[in-house]
Amino acid sequence: MAAKKKNNPEVEETVEEVVEEVTEETVEECEAADEACNEQDEKDAAIEALNDRYRRLLAEFDNYKKRTEKEKSMMYEFGAKDALLKMLPIVDNFERGLASVPVEDKESAFADGMNKIYKQFMTTLEEVKVVPIEAVGKTFDPNLHNAVMHIDDDSYSESEVVEEFQKGYMYKESVLRHSMVKVAN
């Protein structure tokens, strides 16, 4: 005999309620998971934006430090150049004074002392990277020399520096004072 299935209305209602509850819970859980996922994405984006900002600020600060160090170095060099430029007339006067000592007095204690002071002064200038510019016999270079006279003389080559009126000096890689020279045409 075949048994007939009887529908139990109470069981069907209970099953429907359970299905609705499970469906509602699943939907709520999915929505909550989506919200959490969106919040995590937003947090990740915010973190990335902050990291990017931090890296940019760090690079900007590094550039600032380099720029201020360079400016400080240039200010020091500018101040040093100014002070050294004021000392060059003293060197010129020493040279003129030593050149004017008569031959018979070159061995005197006074002339010897002045010569030693001059050599010490020149050594000190060389230690701070101030060196004289070679001029006589060299080809005229407008970056190093200032031509104040020209002569026509075939015994010299074209644009050769014939005579130096005032010595020029270099400070590190830049001209401190140009040499004043006479140039052959």
Side-chain angles (χ1 to χ4, degrees), residues 57-138:
L57 284 172
L58 196 60
E60 190 175 315
F61 181 68
D62 190 43
N63 290 339
Y64 166 77
K65 283 184 356 184
K66 289 177 184 175
R67 185 174 55 251
T68 55
E69 187 64 34
K70 184 178 178 182
E71 287 172 358
K72 188 167 61 169
S73 172
M74 289 179 69
M75 285 174 44
Y76 170 78
E77 198 164 310
F78 180 74
K81 271 185 163 182
D82 191 43
L84 291 168
L85 214 93
K86 290 179 180 179
M87 289 183 199
L88 293 182
I90 298 169
V91 173
D92 295 338
N93 289 334
F94 259 113
E95 290 173 347
R96 280 193 282 278
L98 291 172
S100 68
V101 173
V103 178
E104 60 271 1
D105 291 337
K106 293 253 185 212
E107 300 300 319
S108 71
F110 178 75
D112 187 45
M114 293 303 284
N115 200 23
K116 286 181 181 177
I117 293 170
Y118 171 73
K119 286 181 182 178
Q120 181 183 16
F121 196 58
M122 292 305 292
T123 302
T124 303
L125 286 176
E126 286 176 10
E127 287 172 359
V128 294
K129 308 278 191 278
V130 176
V131 292
I133 296 172
E134 297 293 324
V136 177
K138 303 287 183 186

Side-chain angles (χ1 to χ4, degrees), residues 140-142 144-149 165 178-183:
F140 175 76
D141 181 356
L144 302 175
H145 309 118
N146 181 16
V148 293
M149 287 182 72
F165 298 116
H178 291 80
S179 299
M180 289 199 317
V181 295
K182 182 192 298 186
V183 180

